[in-house]
């Protein structure tokens, strides 16, 4: 440390919401010989510790007013924080108005986000918008050449150790680092308030602040750096294996998004964000068997997602293949032992949680934002456009196929039979190529397409896909409709005795 930049602190203002968290820090600044100023409940807490404390009211000659809304907002407080000891004009003002300097500010803010999260009333939430604390943080950060700011309980331990090791002194580098922390705390807090007040997105601006960072081994490729910003522990508990990679996280997101669509017991297999195996069955053992059978080659090294319990017997079967991660709401203890024995597999126990209702991505020199594609339709909402209508069994398969295709990369086709994905084509530059890919997959794994159904994420511009589907024995089609040449496809289906329904909803995914 450059000793020329060290500053011995003499006077600290302490006003905190989480008083117990600040206890050791308060003891440390007292032991370092600093005078302590404080407000209301914090001052009372410090007195109970048998530590001398000066009430802010003694500085300002004003009591706390408006039910505690105004306590520290006074020139005697902010003048003390903002004064520059190397400026003669500042020193003249300090003497004129009898203001004493304050060279350390310790605070944490009212728990606004906690109040929103617990569903408090609007009045309660508004009362938890901190005014004095946020103003103290910004003032101290601005004057960090001379003032140390400790902006939240998350920094109390770090600063305690710093002050103990340096006998109550800090360097300019220390104060600058904490000033940056203070502005992060301030901006994060303000962003949360903005989102609460901007319900309905009246103000079209992009503001996000995520203060949990998880550095990853690398990005999509080893030469790329990557960090995940978020709280994955709110979504699942990791039971085993190495930390999730960038690509793992992409696949986990895709898998969770798809499996949450299903109420029935479901197993989903994801590879490079696309579903390569999906099955709905009464028993999870059967769901796993048929999801794997959909495309056992692509399943190698995939991400597995279940929406029901994993038993020890099922774990024995799953453990026969190589996979990156398995996600389920619960596991037998024996299942965990079986799946992790001698393996570095990632096991995640999913938690009940609410996913964001929007998505965004960076591109060009900006950000694209959109609401989630939560749109789904039931048979009663479909427009049946052909002479032949799907029976109940076909309708159930059409619902599943339309759900799966919504989660495939465009252009996308999903082929489903008996609640099982038997062929998929995704990420193709033409719809007919997506269908050809799906048919090829089905043939490769000996899936009989007679009686299967076909779903498309967007309309068919020509009847060529109907011709291919009919040749393979596909009996029903679900698509958004909306092409100028819809009638060509309808006419072909009528001629071939195929059923087709329109949903009116496109599901592009890029």
């Amino acid at each position: 440390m450059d000793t020329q930049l060290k500053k011995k602190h003499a006077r600290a203002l302490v006003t905190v919401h989480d008083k117990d968290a600040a206890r050791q820090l308060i003891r440390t600044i007292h032991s370092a010989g600093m005078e302590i100023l404080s407000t209301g409940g914090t001052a009372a807490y410090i007195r109970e510790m048998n530590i001398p404390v000066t009430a802010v009211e003694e500085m300002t000659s004003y009591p706390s007013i408006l039910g505690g809304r105004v306590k520290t907002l006074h020139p005697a407080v902010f003048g003390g924080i903002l004064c520059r000891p190397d400026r003669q004009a500042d020193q003249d003002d300090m003497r004129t108005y009898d203001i004493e300097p304050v060279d350390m500010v310790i605070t944490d803010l009212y728990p606004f986000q906690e109040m929103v999260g617990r569903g408090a009333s609007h009045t309660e939430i508004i009362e938890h918008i901190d005014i004095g604390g946020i103003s103290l943080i910004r003032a101290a950060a601005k004057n960090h050449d001379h003032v140390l700011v400790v902006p939240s309980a998350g920094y109390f331990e770090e600063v305690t150790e710093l002050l103990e090791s340096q006998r109550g002194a800090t360097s300019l580098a220390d104060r600058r680092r904490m000033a940056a922390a203070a502005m992060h705390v301030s901006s994060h807090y303000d962003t949360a308030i903005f989102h609460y007040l901007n319900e309905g997105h009246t103000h079209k601006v992009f503001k996000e602040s995520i203060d949990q960072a998880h550095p990853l081994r690398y990005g999509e490729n080893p030469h790329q750096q990557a960090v995940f910003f978020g709280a994955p522990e709110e979504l699942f508990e990791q039971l085993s294996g190495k930390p999730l990679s960038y690509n793992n996280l992409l696949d986990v997101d895709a898998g969770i998004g798809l499996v949450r669509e299903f109420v029935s017991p479901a197993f989903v297999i994801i590879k490079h964000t696309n579903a390569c195996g999906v099955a709905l069955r009464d028993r999870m053992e059967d769901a796993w068997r048929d999801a794997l059978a959909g495309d056992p080659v692509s399943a190698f090294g995939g991400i597995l997602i279940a929406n029901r319990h994993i038993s020890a017997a099922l774990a024995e079967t799953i453990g026969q293949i190589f996979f990156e991660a398995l996600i389920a709401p619960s596991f037998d203890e024996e299942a965990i032992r079986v799946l992790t024995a001698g393996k570095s597999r990632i096991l995640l126990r999913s938690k009940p949680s609410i996913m964001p209702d929007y998505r965004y991505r960076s591109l060009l020199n900006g950000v694209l934002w959109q609401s989630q594609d939560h749109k789904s339709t039931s048979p009663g909402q479909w427009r049946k456009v052909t002479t032949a209508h799907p029976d109940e069994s076909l309708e159930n398969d059409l619902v599943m196929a339309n759900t799966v295709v919504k989660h495939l990369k465009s252009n996308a086709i999903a082929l489903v039979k008996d609640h099982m994905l038997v062929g998929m084509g995704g990420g193709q530059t033409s719809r007919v190529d997506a269908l050809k890919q799906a048919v090829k997959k089905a043939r490769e794994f000996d899936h009989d397409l007679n009686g299967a159904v076909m779903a498309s994420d967007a309309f068919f511009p020509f009847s060529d896909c109907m011709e291919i589907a009919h040749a393979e024995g596909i009996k029903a089609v679900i698509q958004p409709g909306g092409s100028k040449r819809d009638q060509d496809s309808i006419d072909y289906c009528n001629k071939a005795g195929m059923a087709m329904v329109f949903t009116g909803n496109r599901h592009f995914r890029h």
Side-chain angles (χ1 to χ4, degrees):
M1 180 191 302
D2 186 347
T3 55
Q4 291 182 337
L5 301 180
K6 289 178 69 174
K7 172 184 174 63
K8 178 76 172 178
H9 293 276
R11 204 161 186 246
L13 171 60
V14 183
T15 175
V16 295
H17 179 78
D18 188 347
K19 298 168 183 59
D20 289 337
R23 191 177 186 86
Q24 187 55 45
L25 179 54
I26 292 168
R27 289 193 184 282
T28 296
I29 61 176
H30 171 62
S31 298
M34 297 181 213
E35 179 186 357
I36 300 177
L37 313 172
S38 192
T39 59
T42 306
Y45 183 87
I46 295 172
R47 290 191 190 99
E48 290 175 3
M49 295 173 63
N50 294 316
I51 292 176
V53 60
T54 300
V56 166
E57 291 84 351
E58 294 179 28
M59 294 172 57
T60 64
S61 300
Y62 272 88
S64 171
I65 63 173
L66 305 181
R69 281 188 164 196
V70 180
K71 290 179 284 193
T72 58
L73 297 171
H74 192 281
V77 176
F78 282 86
I81 295 170
L82 288 164
C83 71
R84 293 158 292 188
D86 54 351
R87 298 285 185 95
Q88 186 59 47
D90 284 11
Q91 295 307 304
D92 292 343
D93 284 343
M94 298 285 281
R95 282 191 294 273
T96 299
Y97 298 105
D98 194 23
I99 298 173
E100 295 293 330
V102 175
D103 58 14
M104 186 181 298
V105 172
I106 301 169
T107 189
D108 65 340
L109 303 174
Y110 292 159
F112 175 84
Q113 289 169 283
E114 290 181 23
M115 298 301 290
V116 174
R118 73 173 64 159
S121 69
H122 175 71
T123 299
E124 289 178 295
I125 290 170
I126 293 300
E127 286 306 309
H128 278 78
I129 295 177
D130 204 309
I131 302 302
I134 207 80
S135 302
L136 292 171
I137 285 173
R138 293 181 63 85
K142 177 174 181 175
N143 203 26
H144 67 270
D145 276 357
H146 312 289
V147 178
L148 175 69
V149 58
V150 190
S152 78
Y155 297 99
F156 289 173
E157 183 177 352
E158 174 188 343
V159 173
T160 297
E161 293 174 357
L162 176 70
L163 294 174
E164 288 177 351
S165 66
Q166 298 180 174
R167 300 181 180 179
T170 60
S171 70
L172 179 58
D174 296 329
R175 297 192 296 278
R176 187 180 183 90
R177 184 180 72 256
M178 293 309 301
M183 299 314 288
H184 157 63
V185 168
S186 173
S187 63
H188 182 74
Y189 195 78
D190 286 345
T191 298
I193 296 169
F194 169 78
H195 283 306
Y196 175 76
L197 296 176
N198 195 42
E199 186 178 8
H201 309 289
T202 302
H203 300 281
K204 302 300 181 186
V205 296
F206 182 80
K207 290 182 186 290
E208 287 294 335
S209 179
I210 304 172
D211 61 358
Q212 289 182 264
H214 302 269
L216 305 176
R217 296 192 299 278
Y218 51 81
E220 284 186 284
N221 302 293
H223 60 274
Q224 294 175 270
Q225 296 180 331
V227 178
F228 175 70
F229 294 96
E233 67 278 3
E234 294 178 0
L235 303 179
F236 41 73
E237 174 189 2
Q238 184 158 352
L239 305 177
S240 69
K242 59 191 177 183
L244 290 166
S245 70
Y246 184 100
N247 292 326
N248 290 157
L249 287 164
L250 288 174
D251 287 344
V252 167
D253 176 69
I256 289 177
L258 176 53
V259 84
R260 285 188 173 205
E261 299 261 17
F262 301 119
V263 176
S264 301
F267 225 115
V268 171
I269 304 173
I270 297 291
K271 193 68 171 290
H272 294 297
T273 73
N274 282 302
C276 60
V278 184
L280 310 182
R281 294 290 182 263
D282 292 334
R283 299 174 64 250
M284 287 305 290
E285 290 78 5
D286 297 332
W288 162 248
R289 179 197 65 214
D290 291 341
L292 178 62
D295 185 347
V297 173
S298 295
F300 182 85
I303 302 291
L304 318 179
I305 308 97
N307 65 358
R308 296 291 194 279
H309 179 76
I310 302 297
S311 67
L314 179 53
E316 290 280 2
T317 305
I318 296 172
Q320 294 173 14
I321 76 160
F322 169 70
F323 62 88
E324 284 279 335
L326 170 59
I327 309 167
S330 58
F331 298 81
D332 280 347
E333 286 301 319
E334 180 64 12
I336 297 173
R337 189 194 66 77
V338 167
L339 291 167
T340 58
K343 306 289 185 181
S344 60
R345 292 164 170 161
I346 299 169
L347 298 186
L348 303 173
R349 180 184 287 125
S350 56
K351 300 178 180 180
S353 55
I354 299 174
M355 299 289 280
D357 61 0
Y358 56 87
R359 299 182 75 88
Y360 53 84
R361 64 168 70 175
S362 62
L363 52 79
L364 298 175
N365 62 345
V367 174
L368 274 178
W369 182 100
Q370 68 173 349
S371 59
Q372 292 274 23
D373 182 5
H374 290 313
K375 191 71 175 180
S376 61
T377 56
S378 60
Q381 299 169 300
W382 298 341
R383 185 157 65 94
K384 297 173 181 177
V385 296
T386 52
T387 303
H389 292 178
D391 59 21
E392 183 178 356
S393 176
L394 287 176
E395 283 185 343
N396 291 334
D397 278 348
L398 288 168
V399 169
M400 176 181 169
N402 198 48
T403 300
V404 172
V405 83
K406 184 171 83 169
H407 292 267
L408 297 175
K409 291 293 188 291
S410 300
N411 289 305
I413 293 289
L415 305 179
V416 167
K417 183 177 180 180
D418 298 330
H419 295 148
M420 171 184 169
L421 181 65
V422 292
M424 61 76 71
Q428 300 301 302
T429 53
S430 76
R431 199 152 303 283
V432 70
D433 283 345
L435 176 55
K436 288 177 179 178
Q437 181 190 45
V439 170
K440 179 178 179 293
K441 283 283 188 183
R443 288 176 177 170
E444 184 177 351
F445 302 112
D446 297 322
H447 298 309
D448 181 7
L449 292 178
N450 278 299
V453 305
M454 173 173 70
S456 174
D457 63 332
F459 64 64
F460 293 101
F462 306 104
S463 62
D464 49 2
C465 286
M466 304 306 117
E467 297 170 23
I468 296 171
H470 177 239
E472 296 298 328
I474 290 170
K475 295 298 183 186
V477 179
I478 185 167
Q479 60 141 317
S483 168
K484 292 180 179 180
R485 302 184 64 172
D486 276 344
Q487 194 60 45
D488 291 353
S489 294
I490 294 170
D491 290 344
Y492 187 90
C493 286
N494 283 333
K495 179 181 176 182
M498 297 167 64
M500 184 161 64
V501 299
F502 287 178
T503 65
N505 299 301
R506 191 182 71 186
H507 293 294
F508 272 167
R509 194 175 189 88
H510 298 102

